Amino acid sequence: MQMPDMLIPQVGVVTEIIKETPDVKTFRVVNIKGNKAFDHMPGQCAMLSIPGVGEAMFSISTSPTNTKYMDFSIKRVGVLTEYMHDKMKEGDHITIRGPYGKPFPVDTELKGKNILFVGGGIALAPLRSVIHYVFDNREDYGYVDILYGARSVADLVYYKEIEKSWTQRRNTNVYLTIDRPDDEWDGNIGFVPDYFKKIGFSTDKVVVLCGPPIMIKFVMAVLLEMGFKKEQVYTTLELRMKCGIGKCGRCNIGDKFVCMDGPVFRTDELDHIPNEF
Amino acid sequence: MLDQEKTFEPLIVAFCCNWCSYAGADLAGTSRLSYPPNVKIIKVPCSCRVDPIFMLRAFGKGADGVIVCGCHPGDCHYSTGNYFTRRRFALLFSLLDFMGIEKERMRLEWVSAAESAKFARVMNEFTEEVTKLGPNRRLMDIRNLPEGYEELGRGPHREVLDAQAPHARNIPSVVKIEEQMKARATKLLADGVVDRVLAWKAGDHETMPEPAFFDHPSQIENMVYNKYCAHNLSKYLMVAPWLGGKLFDGSTLIFLKPCDSYSFNQLIKENLINLEKTHIIGIGCGGTVQVEDLEEVGMWEKCGVCTKIHHPVGDEIIELENNSPRLDKNARFATVEAIEALSADDRFAFWQSQLSKCIRCNACRNTCPVCNCKRCVFSNNKYDMASKVNATEFEEQLFHIVRAFHVAGRCSDCGECSRVCPQDIPLHLLNRKIIKDINEFYGEYQAGQDIAAPEPLTSFDLNNDGQAGKN
Amino acid sequence: MNKTYKIALGNLSKLYGRINETQQIYLPVRRGGTLNFEKWHESAVVDLHGLKTTNTPKDLFLPQSEDLYTAKMDGTNIEIITKDFFDNAFVIFGVKACDIEAIAVMDNIYLSKHPVDMYYEARRKNAVLVSLACNAPKNACFCAAFNIDAANPKGDVATWILGEYLYTQAQNGKGKAFVEDIMGLFEPAEADDLLGLKAEIAEKAQSLPYSKLPLESFTGENMMKIFDHENWDFLHRACIGCGTCTYTCPTCSCYDIKDFDKCSGTTRFRCWDSCMYPEFTLMAHGNNRLTQKERFRQRFMHKLMYHPMNYDGQFGCVGCGRCINKCPVSLNIVKIIKSLGVEVAENANA
């Protein structure tokens, strides 16, 4: 039997659905035999689909060091995600193909460095993969700072995990912020870029940045103002994708195909392509 | 073979109005009147709710017959819904018949809530009739047609095709009003009456002028007007939703050929043009020509049979020197009549050979002045719809039937759909068939002629409609 | 030097019939008033003298719509039923030099980078390309601008129409095997017979109005300069956002993947898509190309800049001229090249 084409998915099973926030759920996926569907690297994505509903690209939010399953933290925004949020039950089938895209350079450019993660809202999902990878290979990396913000306490994805596990790690600082005041919140209140400025990080680190475009724009400004270079900052883009293998053409920007040359980009690379992302 | 025919059980879809025939079906059940189990009922709030898409979609998904049941004329729960249904389906059935599709497979019936016996009788009759016809082949995936259907492509319909060839012998009149147009455009721009001009700009080759906006008197020298300016400019003044961009706030001068002015007037009627910010100059037209490889091939068919020499709308008119009607009024229906005269098999073969060429580029839709929905029903990704090539070839048929139907009564016969079709499908013949039917069933009507005149599909005649187009 | 053979034009239908015995043969057929590549059958109206087909040979490698697999749903359980890859040998006869070059562009996109497109590959390796020189290139042709030789088309087998004969030469091993198989119908000929015709075609192709275009500025370092050029503001203005240019383009290769409920299961299929459509980049959270200007620019930037940057300077346009003939509003790639190419070059010199 010939190898199937990259467009043919395998059938997976959703073993667990975890409600993270009012509009984000984490879907835990294994293949039909109960194993992890395929190997991947942090930052890579997979195509999930319900036949008859749709197919879309999601970033894998578990680390490669997790050999049992993959998590996908998904916000309810479109046709497919509405179905997954509203109709899907644990034990349901889903189709999955991948992995797609270029991962974060965890074994090269990030290795041995201090790392600062900056995330906003649902964008912690792709970062979580790297964060777990770093925690699981702790000796290979220096200090870790995590700055994460969301609209409200309820909108902080992985909040329990952050409190219980991330903050307990050695050589790790976690900074959380929410946009609006809340009675149950004694932490910082304000937008991520402002909080960033307030904390004032030193520039001896690599930055992994992911969030809504407006947040990225303002954090970038703060970063540059504080003396960071664009070569130190990595981010990941989101565009409409169909094939995942650089053929169908819709994620093409400049001479890059986001599904093949990205989604992870070093921010200085983005200066050389048209601003259409 | 005979055995197979005996065991053929058709699938019948019945769209029943909630207020009459659905209750009629209920009553038939409680009265123990039997009707065939082949009939699957779909309840609708009014027979008028049934869009032609519903019927075609049912066929595409495997129905062998479709019946629409509504209240008797005069009894509509919403007063007038079924009058519209009546006109709509008279035209649809006639159009499908024109395409060689058995019209016996579809029916419109009036069944009241009390007429359980009639409901059962109608369903029995219809099921029997469809059983006799056999499985639906023509309104399904053409690729799944049994062997032999392909061979239909060789009948007398070839002659009809030849009649579609460019009208090489018709020579367009020489048009010499370009300088006058430029002068007016320059003046109106300079005087500040308008902020921009919509006309044609010289291309890099004489045969390649393109629609363009001019914002400044100095640009007017690039303006041209000649026999290559076939493009209908009407739609550019409507904000085409798919083009995006910003709404223009100033006023615009638009030049309209006679046929364009009918489309434009229709847009005015549909409240899609801000007349206060529009200055219209009607311009004479001597006919436009088809160009291939930068060479003139002959006059467009639409110009060859054109009778429109006046402008139903316009602030000014720049006439040609010799303006006289070129042909008798009904010459444009000659090809439609030629197709009507063919056998059903040949009509089907003709349309199959044409529509199977479609590549779903949407040029016909995007250029059509009355295809002006904010969001096209085919741009809806749900329900297997697509604005591109679909998984079955039936979808291409469906697209063109539905498109022709959605512009019924609004199409002014500008012929742009056929002009822009890269595969040279004579799409305008579908629209012309509908226009011809409207004229015959409900009296002469020219879309875009008079913005006060009632439109044929949104009006009705209590006394006469019953006879017209009865299937 | 490959051997030359010839066959009388009158005997061509015999030739088609002979090829048809073992494999399907597609060639320019006039049907319903239009010239397209279609499967040959005895009553097909073959027209080798027509200049261009409306649809391009890409249809045979990347069909307008192609089923990928069927997903059978049992409640929420899914079963994927794949289908076999295409595996029938076929011949495409009468492909012009520009379209042959376009297949090379498509090969680059679909086959040169891992992972390859296996649907495309399956069709591609089953095909024999028989090219045909253009005896009479017309005004809208500009293959010469891309250094494509209309007189010496590539492909597995090349053919020429000279007088009452069709001349043929195998171009590679695949072509040789194909010609040997049908040798019985041919007679030997001299390659020199063709010299006059070739010179005539070359001269004609060079003298056409669009044969020389200012393409020098379309290089990687000018990408942002051309992308940001103000001329896009009016170049796109007449565009009505249809997909005619994309679908009749021999090198446009973008596709969409969609579902269709065929009642017996959900068919996932892929179909041609167009970057001119607003739905192309529309996703749940918005669209990154909001106006037609951006979509229009993307198409031409891809052909003239992005593709050459990724594939060693190979342009994504082969000068077939279909967009010149087919655009509803007389826009085309030549207008773009002329407008931007000249101005960017002038600015560079200034």
Side-chain angles (χ1 to χ4, degrees):
Chain A
M1 163 105 184
Q2 204 180 351
M3 276 281 292
D5 188 84
M6 284 297 280
L7 297 175
I8 308 289
Q10 42 178 315
V11 177
V13 184
V14 175
T15 56
E16 215 177 320
I17 301 175
I18 305 150
K19 188 165 177 165
E20 304 281 357
T21 77
D23 59 358
V24 176
K25 281 182 179 175
T26 296
F27 298 82
R28 189 154 293 173
V29 179
V30 296
N31 69 14
I32 202 107
K33 291 187 187 121
N35 304 320
K36 192 170 157 175
F38 44 76
D39 291 326
H40 74 282
M41 287 302 285
Q44 282 191 306
C45 304
M47 276 281 191
L48 297 182
S49 163
I50 308 288
V53 182
E55 186 172 45
M57 188 75 101
F58 298 101
S59 58
I60 304 165
S61 56
T62 41
S63 148
T65 47
N66 180 336
T67 54
K68 294 201 177 68
Y69 54 80
M70 283 186 265
D71 275 352
F72 297 89
S73 296
I74 297 171
K75 187 165 172 165
R76 189 178 179 280
V77 280
V79 180
L80 177 65
T81 54
E82 271 169 24
Y83 178 93
M84 292 177 76
H85 270 256
D86 302 346
K87 304 227 173 100
M88 195 164 235
K89 306 177 303 296
E90 289 172 2
D92 283 3
H93 282 184
I94 192 165
T95 73
I96 178 165
R97 58 186 175 98
Y100 297 118
K102 204 176 71 177
F104 284 103
V106 283
D107 293 331
T108 52
E109 288 150 65
L110 296 190
K111 204 157 189 171
K113 305 268 171 62
N114 301 328
I115 308 177
L116 164 59
F117 295 95
V118 184
I122 181 65
L124 193 60
L127 297 187
R128 184 191 187 220
S129 175
V130 199
I131 293 171
H132 278 195
Y133 189 82
V134 169
F135 286 160
D136 291 341
N137 299 286
R138 200 64 193 88
E139 314 73 52
D140 294 343
Y141 303 90
Y143 283 92
V144 170
D145 294 290
I146 301 167
L147 167 55
Y148 174 51
R151 277 172 301 177
S152 67
V153 185
D155 288 310
L156 287 165
V157 185
Y158 314 127
Y159 185 42
K160 275 186 204 145
E161 182 181 321
I162 294 170
E163 288 284 287
K164 274 199 191 134
S165 157
W166 298 7
T167 51
Q168 310 305 319
R169 300 279 177 160
R170 67 187 162 88
N171 295 342
T172 302
N173 289 315
V174 179
Y175 307 90
L176 298 180
T177 179
I178 58 171
D179 295 353
R180 292 185 294 263
D182 190 317
D183 292 342
E184 292 166 33
W185 185 250
D186 54 2
N188 186 70
I189 289 164
F191 295 122
V192 171
D194 303 332
Y195 193 34
F196 191 103
K197 226 176 189 172
K198 202 157 112 187
I199 304 167
F201 295 98
S202 59
T203 59
D204 58 346
K205 38 179 79 67
V206 183
V207 183
V208 180
L209 169 64
C210 191
I214 187 80
M215 186 201 98
I216 293 200
K217 191 180 155 197
F218 284 103
V219 170
M220 262 331 278
V222 174
L223 278 167
L224 295 177
E225 189 187 317
M226 291 172 69
F228 283 89
K229 292 198 176 61
K230 282 190 173 174
E231 288 79 359
Q232 283 172 275
V233 185
Y234 293 83
T235 189
T236 160
L237 298 183
E238 183 194 14
L239 277 185
R240 175 140 189 193
M241 300 178 197
K242 279 284 177 181
C243 70
I245 50 178
K247 309 265 190 276
C248 82
R250 67 199 59 227
C251 68
N252 171 245
I253 291 183
D255 57 338
K256 302 274 188 276
F257 286 85
V258 174
C259 68
M260 294 290 279
D261 303 305
V264 174
F265 286 99
R266 211 169 66 194
T267 45
D268 60 314
E269 294 172 330
L270 297 180
D271 285 348
H272 306 297
I273 60 171
N275 184 15
E276 286 192 320
F277 38 81
Chain B
M1 192 62 199
L2 209 63
D3 281 350
Q4 271 181 356
E5 273 172 22
K6 260 184 193 162
T7 55
F8 166 64
E9 287 290 339
L11 176 64
I12 311 278
V13 174
F15 291 98
C16 293
C17 163
N18 180 38
W19 303 101
C20 54
S21 41
Y22 191 76
D26 229 17
L27 187 60
T30 47
S31 317
R32 311 269 163 179
L33 295 169
S34 74
Y35 64 90
N38 310 54
V39 179
K40 314 287 179 209
I41 296 178
I42 297 176
K43 184 166 81 169
V44 287
C46 175
S47 57
C48 189
R49 174 71 185 87
V50 183
D51 188 287
I53 292 182
F54 296 4
M55 181 176 265
L56 296 168
R57 178 65 75 206
F59 279 119
K61 295 275 184 188
D64 300 297
V66 178
I67 182 165
V68 178
C69 301
C71 308
H72 286 272
D75 292 348
C76 179
H77 183 79
Y78 308 100
S79 304
T80 55
N82 52 5
Y83 292 123
F84 302 128
T85 314
R86 186 160 65 181
R87 284 201 169 189
R88 186 187 301 162
F89 283 99
L91 290 174
L92 179 68
F93 293 164
S94 176
L95 179 69
L96 292 176
D97 184 47
F98 179 65
M99 299 176 77
I101 291 152
E102 310 100 320
K103 65 175 170 185
E104 295 80 11
R105 287 190 188 281
M106 47 205 100
R107 207 185 259 200
L108 175 65
E109 287 284 350
W110 312 130
V111 182
S112 81
E115 292 176 319
S116 55
K118 183 178 181 189
F119 184 85
R121 179 172 54 80
V122 164
M123 291 305 160
N124 278 312
E125 271 176 24
F126 187 54
T127 310
E128 201 179 310
E129 204 175 330
V130 176
T131 311
K132 263 188 228 148
L133 284 171
N136 158 38
R137 292 274 181 245
R138 296 193 168 176
L139 276 169
M140 61 183 289
D141 191 353
I142 302 171
R143 286 175 299 195
N144 291 343
L145 284 179
E147 294 271 326
Y149 263 77
E150 228 178 318
E151 304 303 315
L152 280 173
R154 267 175 267 152
H157 67 260
R158 290 227 165 273
E159 290 159 28
V160 178
L161 282 178
D162 292 340
Q164 281 300 309
H167 284 47
R169 272 161 297 161
N170 281 345
I171 298 159
S173 332
V174 181
V175 179
K176 289 181 191 155
I177 53 174
E178 187 182 299
E179 290 310 320
Q180 267 171 282
M181 288 164 60
K182 283 180 170 177
R184 282 306 290 154
T186 312
K187 179 94 172 52
L188 288 167
L189 268 178
D191 291 353
V193 178
V194 295
D195 301 302
R196 61 173 186 175
V197 177
L198 174 53
W200 296 266
K201 181 173 82 175
D204 55 341
H205 189 273
E206 186 200 7
T207 57
M208 300 293 281
E210 68 186 55
F213 287 97
F214 303 88
D215 318 303
H216 198 267
S218 66
Q219 298 167 347
I220 296 293
E221 60 177 327
N222 293 326
M223 200 173 114
V224 289
Y225 181 60
N226 54 32
K227 60 186 172 182
Y228 304 111
C229 299
H231 329 86
N232 184 344
L233 303 179
S234 309
K235 214 177 177 181
Y236 285 104
L237 274 204
M238 192 194 105
V239 181
W242 53 86
L243 295 181
K246 286 190 198 90
L247 194 67
F248 183 74
D249 200 31
S251 55
T252 310
L253 162 64
I254 182 171
F255 287 104
L256 295 172
K257 303 195 291 287
C259 61
D260 304 349
S261 65
Y262 282 83
S263 325
F264 199 71
N265 208 24
Q266 180 67 25
L267 290 177
I268 293 172
K269 177 172 183 164
E270 293 172 20
N271 290 321
L272 290 162
I273 301 290
N274 185 349
L275 263 185
E276 286 181 359
K277 296 201 165 180
T278 312
H279 189 87
I280 303 165
I281 299 186
I283 46 174
C285 172
T288 59
V289 294
Q290 185 173 0
V291 170
E292 211 172 296
D293 295 305
L294 312 185
E295 281 163 30
E296 199 175 313
V297 185
M299 204 192 247
W300 287 105
E301 192 266 0
K302 65 168 182 173
C303 302
V305 298
C306 174
T307 52
K308 299 180 186 124
I309 51 167
H310 301 296
H311 298 80
V313 65
D315 299 309
E316 309 171 26
I317 309 282
I318 302 178
E319 287 283 11
L320 296 187
E321 281 163 14
N322 48 346
N323 216 357
S324 57
R326 284 175 285 274
L327 271 172
D328 104 87
K329 216 162 122 197
N330 287 325
R332 61 176 173 152
F333 295 125
T335 319
V336 173
E337 279 160 3
I339 295 175
E340 283 171 342
L342 297 173
S343 71
D345 281 353
D346 282 326
R347 291 199 297 272
F348 178 67
F350 172 78
W351 283 110
Q352 191 201 307
S353 70
Q354 290 299 330
L355 295 182
S356 62
K357 294 188 299 187
C358 174
I359 54 174
R360 287 300 292 277
C361 65
N362 292 320
C364 50
R365 179 190 78 178
N366 288 11
T367 205
C368 175
V370 285
C371 250
N372 51 30
C373 291
K374 274 244 157 79
R375 188 165 181 218
C376 175
V377 64
F378 286 94
S379 292
N380 185 346
N381 264 335
K382 289 180 181 171
Y383 319 116
D384 297 339
M385 293 300 234
S387 57
K388 46 197 107 170
V389 175
N390 216 323
T392 81
E393 272 191 28
F394 169 70
E395 295 294 315
E396 274 77 81
Q397 276 196 67
L398 176 104
F399 172 71
H400 289 294
I401 299 170
V402 169
R403 207 191 78 78
F405 208 78
H406 281 183
V407 300
R410 300 160 57 232
C411 166
S412 67
D413 200 10
C414 74
E416 281 288 272
C417 44
S418 294
R419 181 185 71 79
V420 302
C421 180
Q423 290 285 9
D424 301 322
I425 304 172
L427 292 165
H428 67 290
L429 293 179
L430 294 177
N431 301 320
R432 249 183 223 167
K433 166 67 180 168
I434 296 178
I435 293 171
K436 181 168 175 280
D437 282 348
I438 289 175
N439 285 350
E440 284 171 11
F441 296 173
Y442 312 119
E444 295 259 324
Y445 182 80
Q446 167 65 51
Q449 173 103 56
D450 173 8
I451 57 171
E455 288 200 358
L457 266 96
T458 51
S459 58
F460 50 86
D461 183 335
L462 282 178
N463 303 317
N464 297 323
D465 286 3
Q467 315 305 321
K470 179 106 177 87
N471 72 94
Chain C
M1 188 69 194
N2 286 310
K3 285 188 191 134
T4 310
Y5 300 91
K6 65 180 181 181
I7 180 172
L9 293 181
N11 286 336
L12 278 179
S13 54
K14 239 185 251 169
L15 175 69
Y16 306 144
R18 170 72 186 70
I19 297 170
N20 195 45
E21 283 169 17
T22 50
Q23 48 196 325
Q24 286 180 343
I25 165 165
Y26 291 84
L27 66 186
V29 168
R30 229 170 249 291
R31 182 169 64 93
T34 321
L35 190 64
N36 278 317
F37 281 97
E38 291 199 12
K39 207 181 335 179
W40 180 82
H41 55 92
E42 273 175 22
S43 51
V45 187
V46 179
D47 184 359
L48 291 185
H49 298 281
L51 182 60
K52 318 178 226 233
T53 51
T54 301
N55 276 10
T56 70
K58 85 172 173 191
D59 295 33
L60 297 164
F61 303 115
L62 181 71
Q64 286 184 38
S65 158
E66 175 174 36
D67 293 353
L68 300 175
Y69 57 89
T70 301
K72 283 217 186 275
M73 307 286 287
D74 174 17
T76 56
N77 284 0
I78 302 168
E79 186 194 353
I80 304 268
I81 300 160
T82 53
K83 55 170 219 166
D84 294 334
F85 286 110
F86 181 89
D87 195 22
N88 294 317
F90 68 101
V91 179
I92 315 183
F93 199 95
V95 185
K96 297 292 162 63
C98 51
D99 286 347
I100 290 277
E101 204 57 39
I103 294 171
V105 174
M106 295 283 280
D107 283 353
N108 260 341
I109 298 168
Y110 280 109
L111 301 178
S112 75
K113 286 185 179 171
H114 178 78
V116 303
D117 188 292
M118 292 163 81
Y119 297 91
Y120 180 87
E121 187 186 36
R123 287 195 154 84
R124 187 69 182 84
K125 72 179 181 212
N126 270 304
V128 176
L129 297 177
V130 181
S131 62
L132 174 63
C134 288
N135 284 13
K138 287 193 177 164
N139 282 344
C141 297
F142 54 106
C143 56
F146 296 100
N147 299 321
I148 295 167
D149 187 354
N152 287 295
K154 295 176 189 162
D156 300 317
V157 179
T159 65
W160 292 261
I161 293 174
L162 177 61
E164 286 308 302
Y165 286 95
L166 180 86
Y167 284 68
T168 182
Q169 276 175 4
Q171 303 289 305
N172 57 25
K174 197 180 193 176
K176 222 177 240 172
F178 173 75
V179 172
E180 268 164 28
D181 210 37
I182 50 171
M183 190 71 83
L185 291 163
F186 285 89
E187 50 187 287
E190 291 299 323
D192 288 353
D193 292 357
L194 294 169
L195 291 177
L197 173 69
K198 286 184 181 179
E200 202 182 304
I201 296 174
E203 198 195 319
K204 231 181 254 174
Q206 289 296 342
S207 66
L208 294 172
Y210 295 154
S211 61
K212 288 172 194 68
L213 295 177
L215 285 160
E216 304 75 30
S217 321
F218 293 91
T219 52
E221 60 262 31
N222 283 336
M223 178 172 86
M224 291 312 292
K225 207 186 278 178
I226 292 181
F227 182 87
D228 290 326
H229 204 283
E230 60 192 16
N231 283 7
W232 291 112
D233 285 339
F234 66 82
L235 285 172
H236 85 282
R237 198 57 190 78
C239 178
I240 58 169
C242 73
T244 305
C245 53
T246 359
Y247 292 165
T248 58
C249 176
T251 67
C252 264
S253 59
C254 293
Y255 61 81
D256 193 4
I257 298 176
K258 292 171 71 69
D259 289 348
F260 190 86
D261 179 6
K262 281 195 177 163
C263 299
S264 55
T266 299
T267 296
R268 180 147 295 175
F269 66 101
R270 73 166 170 197
C271 58
W272 293 356
D273 205 348
S274 171
C275 54
M276 292 292 196
Y277 294 166
E279 297 94 3
F280 189 66
T281 51
L282 180 73
M283 50 184 163
H285 83 174
N287 198 336
N288 56 324
R289 293 197 190 100
L290 282 170
T291 68
Q292 197 59 25
K293 175 187 162 188
E294 287 146 10
R295 298 189 274 268
F296 183 87
R297 176 170 61 187
Q298 166 66 17
R299 179 163 188 275
F300 294 103
M301 287 298 283
H302 193 195
K303 299 258 174 261
L304 299 170
M305 304 285 324
Y306 308 156
H307 186 86
M309 285 168 78
N310 277 323
Y311 298 100
D312 259 349
Q314 174 193 56
F315 280 105
C317 174
V318 292
C320 72
R322 284 184 179 87
C323 52
I324 299 179
N325 283 342
K326 297 297 179 186
C327 177
V329 288
S330 314
L331 299 178
N332 57 60
I333 198 163
V334 171
K335 285 185 175 176
I336 311 294
I337 296 172
K338 282 186 173 176
S339 168
L340 296 170
V342 172
E343 287 205 17
V344 172
E346 274 171 7
N347 287 348
N349 295 336

